[in-house]
Amino acid sequence: MPKHPHVRATLLLLLPVLLQASVPAFAQSAGSKISGIEQIGEDFASVPCEDSERLAGVKSLFARAGATASDLVMEQHKGVENLVVGKKGASNEKIVIGAHYDKVTNGCGALDNWTGLVAMSHLYQTLRDIPLNKTLVFVAFGKEEKGLVGSRAMAKAISKEQAAEYCAMINIDTLGLGPPQVADNMSSKKLERLAADLAKDMEMPFAHAMIRGADSDSSAFVARKIPAVTIHGMNKDWPKLLHTENDQATKVNATSVYLGYRLALAMIVNLDGMPCDAFR
């Protein structure tokens, strides 16, 4: 894993720049709401620590982000439920934004993966009233920890003909410790380069990581030849925290979650303006 010494100090120094960086011009003109660090931090005041409570918690996040009950669609697959929230675009071309809602037995799953769910709900809040070319599909995946069950079920259900309409998938899994990184062993190379280029344009710290022995929901889409990327925010301390009793809300750095949200937002905006096959 790449190391990020003095992460907290670095993030605080970069904060004034990042608060002003790369707000999409069309989003400004439409009066969209770009979330701030304090708003994101508020979503960690109460993290559901029981796996049975997670799905209801995700529904609450989306409700606070402006989704109505009719916007929340439960997709039933064999042995798993995915929560899907759509945002219709001018075309049927799609960008999937995903984060898993399940957790392991130990800890509260604040880092893994309440951080991804919070970032995803704020992306929905920012973009839900903005006219877009492509349709956005926000998905809270079930049973990622049991072998990517939810994401594999969704990817498998996409027919060969439908797959051409899926332009990209952005997976957010475990922010909250350091600046954004992409997981090289779970991501498409062209989307990795887009993430790196956008982070550079935004003057945002960024790195690559090969997380050996780990996997995440982007891999289910890569296997279907749909371009996909996993954004995370781990640092050298992650083995002491993830999947342990130490994965608690007190360990979450809200600035790290904010940076992951901003990078994903920039990627969505750029993908929306590009041909659907640009990253195949």
Side-chain angles (χ1 to χ4, degrees):
M1 296 288 295
K3 297 182 179 180
H4 296 281
H6 313 300
V7 165
R8 188 176 295 274
T10 300
L11 295 180
L12 290 174
L13 286 170
L14 287 163
L15 200 52
V17 174
L18 291 164
L19 284 170
Q20 301 299 322
S22 193
V23 177
F26 75 92
Q28 290 182 15
S29 64
S32 74
K33 185 177 181 181
I34 306 296
S35 298
I37 294 170
E38 289 187 5
Q39 294 168 295
I40 285 173
E42 289 170 0
D43 289 330
F44 294 94
S46 178
V47 177
C49 294
E50 297 296 328
D51 204 35
S52 61
E53 299 171 351
R54 300 285 276 196
L55 187 54
V58 180
K59 290 179 180 179
S60 295
L61 284 177
F62 274 105
R64 290 201 296 275
T68 65
S70 61
D71 293 327
L72 306 177
V73 178
M74 293 306 306
E75 285 195 355
Q76 306 285 341
H77 300 277
K78 185 177 180 180
V80 69
E81 291 182 313
N82 294 333
L83 175 65
V84 179
V85 185
K87 186 262 184 294
K88 190 73 177 75
S91 75
N92 289 325
E93 294 180 340
K94 298 172 180 65
I95 302 170
V96 178
I97 302 98
H100 73 88
Y101 67 85
D102 63 313
K103 60 176 286 293
V104 298
T105 301
N106 293 331
C108 277
L111 293 162
D112 183 15
N113 183 35
W114 198 250
T115 55
L117 296 163
V118 167
M120 183 169 66
S121 69
H122 281 270
L123 290 166
Y124 173 79
Q125 178 176 269
T126 300
L127 294 166
R128 68 187 180 90
D129 295 326
I130 302 299
L132 296 174
N133 297 313
K134 295 178 174 61
T135 292
L136 303 184
V137 184
F138 296 88
V139 189
F141 292 111
K143 297 188 177 180
E144 186 267 358
E145 300 288 4
K146 297 184 182 300
L148 317 184
V149 178
S151 56
R152 283 177 172 160
M154 179 179 179
K156 184 178 179 180
I158 300 169
S159 69
K160 186 176 181 180
E161 293 74 24
Q162 291 171 329
E165 294 182 344
Y166 283 78
C167 309
M169 187 271 185
I170 299 171
N171 180 50
I172 308 173
D173 191 349
T174 311
L175 303 169
L177 291 175
Q181 302 178 46
V182 294
D184 291 337
N185 57 318
M186 310 170 197
S187 304
S188 303
K189 297 302 180 186
K190 290 182 179 180
L191 282 182
E192 288 182 28
R193 288 196 291 271
L194 175 65
D197 290 344
L198 289 172
K200 183 177 180 180
D201 290 344
M202 297 171 73
E203 301 182 26
M204 180 186 293
F206 177 84
H208 293 263
M210 179 73 72
I211 309 174
R212 300 187 185 281
D215 213 343
S216 193
D217 291 313
S218 57
S219 296
F221 291 82
V222 172
R224 288 300 314 276
K225 301 190 184 306
I226 295 170
V229 63
T230 284
I231 298 172
H232 70 87
M234 292 187 279
N235 66 7
K236 62 182 176 61
D237 294 325
W238 73 268
K240 303 174 185 176
L241 300 170
L242 267 64
H243 296 188
T244 76
E245 292 292 342
N246 297 320
D247 188 349
Q248 304 289 337
T250 54
K251 303 297 184 181
V252 175
N253 181 328
T255 303
S256 170
V257 182
Y258 169 80
L259 294 180
Y261 151 79
R262 287 301 297 269
L263 179 59
L265 177 60
M267 292 188 73
I268 294 166
V269 170
N270 277 266
L271 287 165
D272 187 66
M274 295 181 177
C276 192
D277 63 354
F279 292 91
R280 295 193 191 277

